[in-house]
Amino acid sequence: MKRISIIFFVSIFLIINSNVIGFAQRPVNKNYSSADKIKLFNGKNLDGWYTFLKDKGRNIDPNQVFQVKNGKIVISGEEFGCITSDAEYDNYKLLVEYKWGKRTFPPRVERARDSGILIHSTGEDGAYSGIWMHSVECQIIEGGTGDLLVVGDGTDKFSITCPVEPEKQNGSYIFSPTGKPATINKGRINWFGRDPAWKDVKDFRGAEDIEKPLGKWNKLECVVKNNEIIVNLNNILVNHATNVKPKKGRIQIQSECAEIIIRKIELTPLE
């Protein structure tokens, strides 16, 4: 019953905000029409991206953490790092189709498979923990895909506001389309169905989970319009932030101790 009620309210929220949820994007300072779809992955190589690994830096990847195999990006997760888009973007719908691989690495061998998409990434490579640019993260983790995190510098230059439930879950707010707004400049806002009994263990599955399990393909959409971020997982709205700071930047996809396979990265312009 709880699941039905939540989906009902999310559906009402989508209808009320249908004028907000457009589908589009454009690289900053480039002219694109709303009819364009921009393939950020060409199926052959990582053109348009550069790699960054902790303690190694840009485009130094001797262990081939980032590879293209059989028309797909394979991120092994063996080292902490990311691929980063050459261009900055604003006002777009980002579609990423991914699935988990089997491999996991220390220090998270037996912990939940973890990755993420960092949008509005600005500043220096590795500014956050020597690994990532400061940014806003759309989390990809078993049981928590769709959480929104502020990967910032602790100031209001990186912050989000979401409607949330009155009580926190393990110290974090929970997105609720009918809730009162809360603003954070660090930490996370959980997606609406994150299991209160979530544990950081490999293969974790929550009672409300929308993400498909190991080996199954998922569709993750980040709709970015002006100062909003709307997150859809497998065609269901799971999180929504407003008053997002900053409003533009590069895109990063994390390597974080778990193998993740990506077959599509596509941007669609917003008017």
Side-chain angles (χ1 to χ4, degrees), residues 80-92:
F80 285 101
C82 57
I83 57 173
T84 304
S85 66
D86 291 334
E88 290 187 336
Y89 298 91
D90 65 357
N91 290 323
Y92 57 87

Side-chain angles (χ1 to χ4, degrees), residues 63-76:
N63 294 324
Q64 295 187 302
V65 174
F66 308 101
Q67 296 187 69
V68 175
K69 296 181 178 180
N70 301 318
K72 301 173 183 66
I73 300 172
V74 179
I75 300 176
S76 72

